[in-house]
Amino acid sequence: MNTATEIQELARLAGIELPEERAAALIISLRTIQDAARELASIEYGDAEPSGRFRVPRTGTK
Amino acid sequence: MTDPTQLSLATAAGLIESRELSPVELTDASLERIEKLDGKLNAFITVMAEEARREAAVAEEEIASGNYRGAMHGIPVGLKDLLAVAGVRMTAGSKILADHVPDEDGEVTRRLKGAGAVIIGKLNMHEFAYGATGVNQHYGPARNAWDTSRITGGSSSGSGAAVAAGQCLGAIGTDTGGSIRIPASLCGVVGIKPTFGRVSRRGVVPLSWALDHVGPLTRTVEDGAIFLQAIAGKDPEDESSAHEPVRDYRAALDGGVAGLRIGVPDTYFFDGLDAEVASAVRKAVGTLEGLGATVSEVSLPRLDELGPALTSLMLSEATAYHQKWLNERPDDYGDSVRFRLELGATISAVSYVQAQRLREIMVREWKETVFSEFDLLAAPTTSLAAPPIDESELATTFNLIRLTNPFNFMAVPAVSVPCGFTEGGLPIGLQLVGQWFDEVTVLRAAHAYEQSTEWHKRRPAL
């Protein structure tokens, strides 16, 4: 992976249209992102849930 | 009377209350100082001279008629230009929002107005707060009052510059990876990043919802305590703001540090430090010990896992917020901000969620292992003093945020307080970090340290 075309496709999945030259400029830095993903994937999370949780809106019950 | 712009906020407040200093006189003096120095410092994007004079006159009238509202009444303050003030342009340091005028005050603005503060202008910043240098392609860099060829640090760059230069007596900044504490450290002032949720973010342009904090920059810790008091507390319209009761920060300042247990991290925070920064911070820790604190080394769990998690959270949230503009107006971003936003599009949803799970684990572990043994942590705020403006923005940002962003992830309160100067005359900051919602202990220790030194009394020669 890590050709400009593949990065364009990845960005498209995130809803961002990247011109080819912009995608090419990301190739080196993408390795940092991939390293971060690998490090996060290697952690044992147990039963931990994400810290950011959906909050149910208050209904104003009395 | 001496130049009122050189007074601390606390002193000015006392003089205003006793009617020895008029808010109009103080505001005029601040506006004159902005006029005199801002060509050199570029701290302000918008100066609100007319509104400020009007607010100052109202404050004066209220105080004269016996309606003194408290220590912020009649005090000129600046707001980072991503906080909404109704009817006043809010650029977020960007070209994209160059003509944006909010029609409502943000919650911090509302509270400051309610406290009678005089909003004197909107301060320069890193574009969309997405960088730590304060070098801004659209509005020019804010310049460090101690050496105008150097950065202020950012992203609250104008806030640091304006407070250091006495253009206002306090300023609001925001801090996603260190953006209050970094300019405080590099500009020789005090910066407070409160606990996540302590201060409302409603009406603030976000960078990362998981990591954004709002807080004050001031000349002294007491000033910071007064300022924080005015803006802290639950905002029913901001779900991220906390219900925790707000203590009396100023009243708690004089408790000293005797008996406090201070942990000094054994790794990471002292790796790769500039020698003068390391020496100043070590001396500061020694001073705290001399004042009666118990100091010992602490191992902070999982610091090596923090970087990937922070990257995943911040980059993906920033890109999500900017998605529409990134597609429609990509050329209106500065180079480095656009680069980071585009990079954020490559982060997977799985990494984002794992980062949030890691946050949950680390908060639990730090609570059980770190804050069961220690009341505070002490570390450098930045690994180096203010670099020159022309150094690489991306590399400088990485160096500057390394020691501050762990505490955004952990959501704990952290303060930067001046602890020395390099031989070249550049300020150095000590970072004190406390437990969740224990701003009182952090401020108390910072105040005790500050009052036992002379660093906060130095002023840049402008």
Side-chain angles (χ1 to χ4, degrees), chain A residues 7 10-19 21-23 25-27 29-30 32-33 35-53 55-58, chain B residues 196 234 236 239-240 243 302 304-305 307-309 311-312 315 319 322-324 326-327 335 338-339 341-348 351-361 364:
Chain A
I7 291 173
L10 206 52
R12 201 166 289 129
L13 286 170
I16 310 285
E17 293 296 328
L18 282 187
E21 71 278 8
R22 299 295 305 179
L26 298 178
I27 288 174
S29 296
L30 186 61
T32 312
I33 300 297
D35 288 345
R38 266 191 291 273
E39 284 185 52
L40 287 169
S42 70
I43 293 168
E44 177 52 58
Y45 292 96
D47 60 358
E49 293 185 10
S51 56
R53 294 193 184 96
R55 293 178 179 87
V56 177
R58 292 191 188 158
Chain B
F196 187 81
K234 176 66 184 170
E239 282 291 331
S240 72
H243 282 283
R302 296 181 186 265
D304 53 333
E305 293 167 1
T311 299
S312 301
L315 267 69
T319 302
H322 286 274
Q323 184 188 37
K324 187 167 177 281
L326 201 51
N327 282 326
D335 298 335
R338 182 177 173 186
F339 179 83
L341 290 172
E342 289 172 341
L343 191 60
T346 67
I347 292 170
S348 79
S351 291
Y352 177 77
V353 173
Q354 300 297 43
Q356 288 194 320
R357 294 178 80 197
L358 179 65
R359 193 182 200 184
E360 201 68 15
I361 290 172
R364 196 165 60 214

Side-chain angles (χ1 to χ4, degrees), chain B residues 48-359:
Chain B
M48 296 163 55
E50 200 181 313
E51 298 93 326
R53 287 198 173 100
R54 200 170 50 232
E55 286 175 23
V58 169
E60 186 153 301
E61 212 174 285
E62 286 176 346
I63 294 163
S65 57
N67 296 315
Y68 181 66
R69 298 193 207 177
M72 293 298 289
H73 205 170
I75 299 290
V77 300
L79 304 183
K80 186 177 182 177
D81 200 19
L82 45 49
L83 282 99
V85 179
V88 178
R89 180 174 79 136
M90 176 180 70
T91 69
S94 72
K95 184 175 175 185
I96 284 173
L97 292 178
D99 301 316
H100 175 62
V101 179
D103 51 15
E104 268 183 30
D105 287 336
E107 178 63 8
V108 165
T109 306
R110 192 188 70 77
R111 289 186 188 216
L112 286 171
K113 284 183 175 176
V118 174
I119 298 171
I120 203 160
K122 304 297 294 294
L123 293 158
N124 203 351
M125 57 180 284
H126 206 107
E127 182 182 6
F128 283 116
Y130 209 0
T133 62
V135 175
N136 184 310
Q137 276 180 239
H138 312 295
Y139 301 93
R143 295 179 177 275
N144 197 307
W146 297 91
D147 176 346
T148 54
S149 71
R150 292 177 183 271
I151 65 167
T152 54
S155 61
S156 312
S157 51
S159 306
V163 173
Q167 294 174 311
C168 52
L169 297 194
I172 290 288
T174 60
D175 191 318
T176 307
S179 292
I180 290 171
R181 291 159 289 158
I182 293 164
S185 175
L186 269 47
C187 294
V189 300
V190 173
I192 303 173
K193 180 198 84 66
T195 309
F196 187 81
R198 179 74 298 172
V199 175
S200 171
R201 303 181 302 183
R202 188 160 54 89
V204 176
V205 177
L207 172 57
S208 165
W209 299 283
L211 302 166
D212 289 345
H213 300 65
V214 179
L217 292 93
T218 51
R219 287 216 189 102
T220 69
V221 178
E222 183 181 24
D223 292 357
I226 292 168
F227 209 145
L228 181 61
Q229 198 79 48
I231 60 173
K234 176 66 184 170
D235 170 11
E237 293 185 49
D238 175 0
E239 282 291 331
S240 72
S241 83
H243 282 283
E244 290 287 322
V246 177
R247 304 259 310 268
D248 186 336
Y249 300 126
R250 191 181 188 184
L253 288 177
D254 290 329
V257 294
L260 287 183
R261 303 161 300 169
I262 299 180
V264 179
D266 54 356
T267 57
Y268 187 86
F269 287 89
F270 287 86
D271 300 340
L273 278 192
D274 172 88
E276 288 182 286
V277 172
S279 167
V281 173
R282 294 276 183 206
K283 273 186 201 158
V285 170
T287 301
L288 286 164
E289 196 167 17
L291 292 170
T294 306
V295 175
S296 54
E297 280 198 346
V298 56
S299 290
L300 298 174
R302 296 181 186 265
L303 279 178
D304 53 333
E305 293 167 1
L306 256 169
L310 277 160
T311 299
S312 301
L313 281 182
M314 190 189 305
L315 267 69
S316 50
E317 289 195 345
T319 302
Y321 178 75
H322 286 274
Q323 184 188 37
K324 187 167 177 281
W325 292 327
L326 201 51
N327 282 326
E328 292 174 357
R329 303 176 61 181
D331 295 332
D332 287 343
Y333 287 99
D335 298 335
S336 61
V337 170
R338 182 177 173 186
F339 179 83
R340 289 189 191 106
L341 290 172
E342 289 172 341
L343 191 60
T346 67
I347 292 170
S348 79
V350 175
S351 291
Y352 177 77
V353 173
Q354 300 297 43
Q356 288 194 320
R357 294 178 80 197
L358 179 65
R359 193 182 200 184

